[in-house]
Amino acid sequence: MVCEKDPLVQKVCELYEQISSLESLKPCKDVNMLFTQLVVTCMPPNPIDVTNLCKSIQDIRCKLIRLCGEAEGHLESHFSTILGSYDNPLHHLNIFPYYSNYLKLSQLEFNILTKHCSNLPTKVAFVGSGPLPLTSIVLASFHLTTTSFHNYDIDPSANSMALQLVSSDPDLSQRMFFHTSDIMDITNDLKDYDVVFLAALVGMDKETKVRFIDHLAEYMAPGALLMLRSAHGARAFLYPVVDPCDLRGFEVLSIFHPTDEVINSVVIARKIPITKQCSVECPLAPTKLPNKCFDIEMFNPLNHVNLLEELDIEEQLS
């Protein structure tokens, strides 16, 4: 059982106390400093398993993830507002302090995606796109240059801000669409997408995350790909963890754990055709990888990135 005596846990708890006492999580000197310290603390590879945390630390972790989500929302709104004031917002994306991380993460996700699909997707959904939909923008601009992107967010103001960013661009304005909807209310339309991305902070606790995944499993087209973001080691203090066993109705293809400044792990899974799903006793159980060994180096998106630890998914699911 990992508890308060662990130096990492002590530091995280100390930062949680300071962050939770802030009057606001909107960008300012104190907020920026504390969250930078938190990220720096949690970024280095660490063998900690958050499932082994004692209950009091588990509670702090859950609260901290919510605080991180709230702060991230404020940060994105802040910079989306600034970017929206430019005549050509997409020409100034590098003012966002984590833009380079999105470039790396999107490159990684594109490399993984192309490994597991024979043709580039024509229609993609991004669930939880927010006011600054950088993943959709970067993928549409540099990687999936003919693909249409349907961005879903429950917040109308977030979609309004996001639309402002692409409306002046002659290309993306024709390929980026924004839907103000709870994805749980979207059913048959999900069958239209070749790939569905699920943002890291859609479902900030295990039960909610699994409910979203189960909904996607019910309505996505057989053979369609689901791309999710997860977290590993100490980074699980910042974002929710998606376990292979959470992906009922999907064949888990790969899980990658960055060890550089890209915080999120990447999970890719394929919707299982109904005829190939499990028995009646377990209709939506995740399917094991058909083979657990492959050349990990081909997925390294950047030569300098010390990236990608492969999980033995077969052992996890057995």
Side-chain angles (χ1 to χ4, degrees):
M1 184 71 70
V2 181
C3 240
E4 289 92 339
K5 292 183 181 180
D6 183 282
L8 170 69
V9 173
Q10 287 181 336
K11 181 62 175 177
V12 168
C13 290
E14 174 190 321
L15 289 168
Y16 164 74
E17 293 299 331
Q18 296 179 66
I19 290 170
S20 60
S21 67
L22 293 169
E23 291 185 5
S24 169
L25 295 180
K26 293 181 178 180
C28 67
K29 182 179 178 181
D30 289 341
V31 170
N32 298 345
M33 177 188 69
L34 287 172
F35 277 102
T36 297
Q37 289 182 28
L38 179 63
V39 170
V40 169
T41 299
C42 296
M43 185 185 299
N46 191 295
I48 191 169
D49 182 353
V50 295
T51 63
N52 292 330
L53 297 172
C54 59
K55 186 179 185 306
S56 61
I57 306 301
Q58 287 280 15
D59 291 342
I60 287 175
R61 173 180 170 260
C62 291
K63 293 174 183 175
L64 189 56
I65 287 173
R66 292 188 177 277
L67 291 171
C68 289
E70 182 181 346
E72 189 171 311
H74 286 311
L75 184 69
E76 290 187 2
S77 293
H78 174 75
F79 278 95
S80 185
T81 299
I82 294 173
L83 286 165
S85 67
Y86 290 103
D87 291 336
N88 297 291
L90 300 186
H91 296 174
H92 304 276
L93 294 177
N94 59 352
I95 70 169
F96 184 64
Y98 301 108
Y99 179 58
S100 63
N101 288 21
Y102 277 91
L103 292 175
K104 293 178 183 179
L105 179 57
S106 296
Q107 177 72 68
L108 171 61
E109 290 176 326
F110 175 72
N111 288 353
I112 295 170
L113 183 63
T114 53
K115 170 65 179 178
H116 294 288
C117 60
S118 54
N119 299 304
L120 293 180
T122 59
K123 197 172 182 181
V124 165
F126 194 99
V127 180
S129 48
L132 188 60
L134 282 176
T135 297
S136 292
I137 289 172
V138 171
L139 285 172
S141 299
F142 303 117
H143 304 296
L144 301 174
T145 55
T146 61
T147 302
S148 63
F149 285 77
H150 290 254
N151 301 281
Y152 288 87
D153 201 284
I154 201 168
D155 182 358
S157 64
N159 278 335
S160 177
M161 297 171 75
L163 179 61
Q164 177 68 21
L165 301 181
V166 301
S167 58
S168 62
D169 186 86
D171 175 26
L172 295 197
S173 62
Q174 302 301 309
R175 294 193 291 121
M176 297 271 285
F177 306 92
F178 297 91
H179 308 276
T180 302
S181 303
D182 184 337
I183 200 63
M184 297 297 287
D185 296 329
I186 307 301
T187 54
N188 291 331
D189 285 352
L190 288 170
K191 292 181 171 62
D192 295 337
Y193 301 113
D194 306 307
V195 182
V196 176
F197 286 80
L198 186 65
L201 294 173
V202 174
M204 285 190 281
D205 58 72
K206 172 72 75 174
E207 294 76 17
T208 307
K209 179 78 75 175
V210 169
R211 192 161 66 248
F212 281 116
I213 292 170
D214 286 348
H215 179 78
L216 294 172
E218 181 175 359
Y219 291 105
M220 282 174 60
L225 295 173
L226 176 63
M227 301 280 295
L228 309 97
R229 290 170 184 176
S230 182
H232 182 64
R235 299 168 184 222
F237 283 106
L238 308 175
Y239 289 102
V241 174
V242 177
D243 293 315
C245 61
D246 298 332
L247 291 160
R248 299 180 297 181
F250 291 93
E251 175 191 3
V252 180
L253 302 175
S254 301
I255 299 178
F256 296 95
H257 297 311
T259 57
D260 69 338
E261 64 270 24
V262 175
I263 299 299
N264 290 118
S265 301
V266 178
V267 182
I268 184 169
R270 179 178 284 114
K271 168 69 181 295
I272 303 169
I274 298 299
T275 55
K276 293 186 180 180
Q277 287 189 14
C278 299
S279 62
V280 174
E281 293 81 19
C282 184
L284 288 176
T287 297
K288 296 180 183 179
L289 277 173
N291 60 300
K292 63 182 179 180
C293 298
F294 52 89
D295 183 5
I296 202 73
E297 291 301 320
M298 70 173 60
F299 295 105
N300 193 334
L302 296 170
N303 291 333
H304 72 277
V305 177
N306 56 334
L307 201 58
L308 308 181
E309 168 194 343
E310 181 186 3
L311 289 184
D312 187 341
I313 300 171
E314 184 167 355
E315 290 182 5
Q316 286 197 15
L317 292 174
S318 59

